[in-house]
């Protein structure tokens, strides 16, 4: 006869295992759907962890002059978010190429990567586990070596050095080790995650950042751009924030901003 607590534990473990398997199968479906869009490359796939981990590029990383690498934050999963993030990164790539053309640099090429090759923190149950909690930096600390190796590898087999831009949320500039003038800030109205300052302080009060607009208005070419609101709309196509982020990727940020 099984003790009720033991039986409950076994059922809970089995349910958790089934959920993880289901999520990983869904992640494979999401990867297939993303790769089917064309001009995509699966860079990494790791099913060994709690959640599937993967990175997908749009464009050719072996030859691109400019590379954007987007690392999504809390709540992100391959199965739930990869296709949407990939669409945003593809639009960011297109906008970057447009800005290069405007600058007379149409021969320069661009690639963009959705990097979900880590166990992102999660809300809800994740708050009960330190390594899964968005209010801790442990998930980022554990993922940092993987991301560092990825960045190091971008130019490992090339004779030239690509211009690489890391796109992410709410990092403390002092801990990134970037040279002066290499860090940019876009902060939308109503981004209460940034305003809370939980992850190293509100970025808007940090020194060493070049601030770019997220407000609705006209870009440098006279085109109308939408404003961004909240924590998750920075890469929305057609927004002022995505336009300015593309300027950073192209190396034309100051030229692009008004």
């Amino acid at each position: 006869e099984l003790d009720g607590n033991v039986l409950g534990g076994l059922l809970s473990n089995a349910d958790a295992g089934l959920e993880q398997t289901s999520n990983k199968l869904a992640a494979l479906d999401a990867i297939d759907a993303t790769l089917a869009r064309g001009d995509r490359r699966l860079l990494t796939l790791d099913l060994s962890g709690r959640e599937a981990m993967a990175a997908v590029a749009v464009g050719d990383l072996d030859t691109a002059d400019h590379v954007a690498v987007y690392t999504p934050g809390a709540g992100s999963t391959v199965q739930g978010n990869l296709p949407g993030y990939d669409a945003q990164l593809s639009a960011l790539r297109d906008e970057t190429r447009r800005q290069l053309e405007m600058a007379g640099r149409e021969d320069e090429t661009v690639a963009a990567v959705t990097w979900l090759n880590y166990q992102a923190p999660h809300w809800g149950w994740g708050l009960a586990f330190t390594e899964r909690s968005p209010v801790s930096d442990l998930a980022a600390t554990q993922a940092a070596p993987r991301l560092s190796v990825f960045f190091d590898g971008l130019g490992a087999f090339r004779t030239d050095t690509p211009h690489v831009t890391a796109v992410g949320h709410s990092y403390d500039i002092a801990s990134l080790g970037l040279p002066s003038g290499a860090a940019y800030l876009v902060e939308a109205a109503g981004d209460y995650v940034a305003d809370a300052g939980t992850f190293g302080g509100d970025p808007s009060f940090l020194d060493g950042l070049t601030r770019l607009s997220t407000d609705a208005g006209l870009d440098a070419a006279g085109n109308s751009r939408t404003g961004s609101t909240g924590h998750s709309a920075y890469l929305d196509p057609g927004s002022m924030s995505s336009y300015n982020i593309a300027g950073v990727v192209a190396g034309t940020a100051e030229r692009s901003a008004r």
Side-chain angles (χ1 to χ4, degrees):
E1 180 179 358
L2 286 174
D3 178 85
N5 291 330
V6 174
L7 181 59
L10 291 173
L11 291 175
S12 297
N13 291 337
D15 289 343
L18 287 172
E19 181 181 11
Q20 288 187 18
T21 300
S22 177
N23 286 342
K24 289 175 182 178
L25 290 172
L28 294 176
D29 288 340
I31 291 170
D32 282 342
T34 302
L35 297 178
R37 293 170 174 169
D39 197 21
R40 264 66 172 183
R41 184 184 303 177
L42 178 62
L43 305 176
T44 62
L45 175 61
D46 187 339
L47 301 178
S48 65
R50 180 185 68 254
E51 296 280 353
M53 300 180 288
V56 172
V58 51
D60 190 347
L61 287 180
D62 294 333
T63 60
D65 298 297
H66 305 273
V67 178
V69 180
Y70 175 48
T71 304
S76 299
T77 63
V78 173
Q79 65 271 18
N81 303 104
L82 176 62
Y85 289 148
D86 173 80
Q88 290 181 327
L89 267 290
S90 181
L92 180 70
R93 179 188 180 223
D94 291 342
E95 178 58 41
T96 302
R97 292 192 292 189
R98 280 191 289 270
Q99 295 191 29
L100 287 168
E101 289 174 5
M102 289 181 59
R105 295 158 53 190
E106 58 274 3
D107 292 338
E108 298 177 24
T109 56
V110 185
V113 178
T114 302
W115 197 85
L116 272 165
N117 192 33
Y118 81 112
Q119 297 292 309
H122 284 270
W123 304 104
W125 285 107
L127 294 174
F129 302 97
T130 302
E131 72 274 11
R132 298 179 62 184
S133 174
V135 299
S136 165
D137 65 356
L138 186 56
T141 300
Q142 291 177 339
R146 299 171 71 95
L147 184 57
S148 179
V149 168
F150 177 76
F151 277 122
D152 288 341
L154 287 175
F157 301 102
R158 297 176 52 161
T159 57
D160 60 346
T161 302
H163 171 235
V164 179
T165 301
V167 183
H169 283 290
S170 302
Y171 285 93
D172 188 335
I173 184 62
S175 66
L176 296 181
L178 296 173
S180 176
Y184 295 80
L185 167 72
V186 288
E187 183 175 347
D191 186 345
Y192 300 115
V193 176
D195 292 336
T198 304
F199 310 100
D202 184 342
S204 62
F205 294 104
L206 297 177
D207 294 328
L209 294 166
T210 300
R211 289 161 172 76
L212 300 173
S213 176
T214 63
D215 297 333
L218 300 179
D219 63 26
N223 298 313
S224 180
R225 300 284 174 171
T226 60
S228 299
T229 303
H231 192 62
S232 303
Y234 291 102
L235 292 175
D236 284 358
S239 65
M240 186 66 79
S241 59
S242 66
Y243 167 80
N244 280 326
I245 292 170
V248 176
V249 177
T252 62
E254 283 71 24
R255 172 191 176 98
S256 302
R258 288 180 66 89

